[in-house]
Every structure is written in structure tokens, then in C-alpha cells.
């Protein structure tokens, strides 16, 4: 039922408008708020909905159901958002900034979860156009410049942005080409 609400009425774009969309989400939450697994799906489905942006994610992460200290809720929400390329890889870099901000908040609380989320940035070389790569690197550097950063998160990001000095060529020449995301 949750997927039908989200996928067939993404952010109120069809009959009933935004008010009806939010009313459906609110009713669903009220009915199922005592079931943690359903709420994880509720968070993740919204975060992974087509057209989700940083403003919508900020609102979702302010909802009482979201808890930065709960790894499963972070994975469902932030991971769900980042799993949709058109959401995470917005050309303006807002998806990257949102995820980087979460990592900055999360690292002092749970460095292992922050490091795992930071892994989302490690594929920056495969993203096109170059503006997206630049935006991803900028967010990685903004995390690396934190005054206190866990060794876990530091390791993931520093290895990703470190220059590679290998002369070995791949037997799969296409493996180093960037993938364009609409």
C-alpha cells in the first residue's frame, strides 16, 4: 500500500494534490507507527520516491519516526534516497550535500554507520558529467576537513580521493569510463 501511495502519487503530482498525498502518508503512519519494520519501510519508500529532493528529505528527517541514532532508520532513509540516481545525483549537488551533512552529524554518534554511508561517495569517478564529480569530491573534502573525524570515515573518504599512481591497464577498458546519469 505504501509503495502505491508513493509511486502513483509522487509528492502529490496527480489527482488530489499535495494535501491528499500528505494526508495519505499521515494516515498510514498513524495506523502503523507501532510497527518498527513497517515504519522502516515507510521512511525508506518515501526517501526513495522519484523526485525526492533535499527539502523533502530534511522534512522527512525531522519527522518523529526518524532517529539519527538508529542505524536501520539511517540506512532506510539516507540509503533509500541515495539509491535513486536522479535524487542523489542532482546536477546542483544538493543530494551530495544532504548526504555529507548527515555524515557530519552521524560520525560522532556512530562512526561505523557514517563510514558506510560515506561509501556512497566512493564511486565519484564513474559519475558524469564532470560537474557531478567535482561536487562529490567537494563534499568528501568538506567531511575530511572536519576537526574531529573518526578513523573509519577518514579511511573510506581519503582512499577515495587519493590520487592513484598505477600504470596497470585494465583488460576491461570500458571500466574506467564515466556513466552518465540523467
Amino acid at each position: 500500500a505504501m509503495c502505491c501511495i508513493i509511486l502513483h502519487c509522487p509528492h502529490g503530482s496527480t489527482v488530489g494534490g499535495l494535501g491528499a498525498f500528505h494526508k495519505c502518508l499521515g494516515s498510514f503512519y498513524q495506523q502503523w507507527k507501532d510497527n518498527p519494520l513497517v515504519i522502516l519501510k515507510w521512511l525508506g519508500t518515501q526517501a526513495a520516491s522519484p523526485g525526492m529532493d533535499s527539502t523533502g528529505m530534511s522534512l522527512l528527517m525531522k519527522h518523529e519516526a526518524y532517529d539519527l541514532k538508529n542505524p536501520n532508520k539511517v540506512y532506510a532513509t539516507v540509503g533509500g534516497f541515495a539509491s535513486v540516481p536522479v535524487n542523489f545525483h542532482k546536477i546542483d549537488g544538493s543530494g551530495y550535500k544532504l548526504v555529507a551533512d548527515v555524515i557530519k552529524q552521524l560520525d560522532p554518534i556512530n562512526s561505523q554507520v557514517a563510514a558506510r554511508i560515506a561509501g556512497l561517495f566512493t564511486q565519484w569517478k564513474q559519475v558524469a558529467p564532470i560537474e557531478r564529480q567535482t561536487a562529490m569530491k567537494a563534499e568528501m573534502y568538506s567531511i575530511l576537513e572536519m576537526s574531529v573525524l573518526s578513523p573509519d570515515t577518514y579511511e573510506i573518504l581519503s582512499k577515495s580521493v587519493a590520487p592513484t599512481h598505477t600504470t596497470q591497464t585494465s583488460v576491461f577498458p570500458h571500466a574506467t569510463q564515466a556513466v552518465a546519469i540523467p
Side-chain angles (χ1 to χ4, degrees):
M2 183 84 252
C3 290
C4 289
I5 292 170
I6 300 295
L7 295 176
H8 295 290
C9 188
H11 303 289
S13 62
T14 60
V15 178
L18 195 56
F21 174 73
H22 287 296
K23 186 176 179 181
C24 288
L25 290 174
S27 295
F28 189 94
Y29 176 75
Q30 288 304 316
Q31 181 177 352
W32 296 100
K33 67 182 176 182
D34 295 327
N35 187 322
L37 294 177
V38 173
I39 295 306
L40 283 176
K41 187 69 171 174
W42 184 82
L43 288 166
T45 304
Q46 287 182 78
S49 67
M52 178 57 91
D53 59 13
S54 57
T55 303
M57 281 295 293
S58 294
L59 290 172
L60 184 58
M61 292 187 299
K62 288 178 184 169
H63 192 277
E64 67 181 32
Y66 179 77
D67 182 3
L68 187 67
K69 294 177 183 173
N70 182 318
N72 289 336
K73 290 184 179 183
V74 173
Y75 293 138
T77 307
V78 179
F81 173 77
S83 71
V84 180
V86 296
N87 293 348
F88 182 53
H89 296 288
K90 289 195 183 294
I91 196 71
D92 66 359
S94 60
Y96 308 139
K97 179 165 180 17
L98 175 99
V99 173
D101 289 346
V102 170
I103 293 167
K104 291 173 187 176
Q105 294 171 4
L106 185 59
D107 192 67
I109 298 168
N110 190 330
S111 61
Q112 291 179 334
V113 175
R116 185 169 173 198
I117 297 295
L120 294 168
F121 287 102
T122 62
Q123 301 299 315
W124 66 272
K125 292 176 187 174
Q126 283 78 42
V127 177
I130 192 74
E131 292 84 7
R132 287 189 176 112
Q133 293 179 7
T134 303
M136 288 181 88
K137 279 180 70 174
E139 293 304 335
M140 287 190 284
Y141 282 120
S142 78
I143 297 166
L144 287 167
E145 292 170 356
M146 290 175 52
S147 60
V148 177
L149 183 64
S150 71
D152 298 329
T153 303
Y154 177 81
E155 179 181 10
I156 297 291
L157 295 176
S158 63
K159 284 182 177 180
S160 181
V161 296
T164 55
H165 299 291
T166 175
T167 57
Q168 182 179 4
T169 57
S170 173
V171 294
F172 303 105
H174 65 282
T176 59
Q177 294 176 350
V179 176
I181 298 172

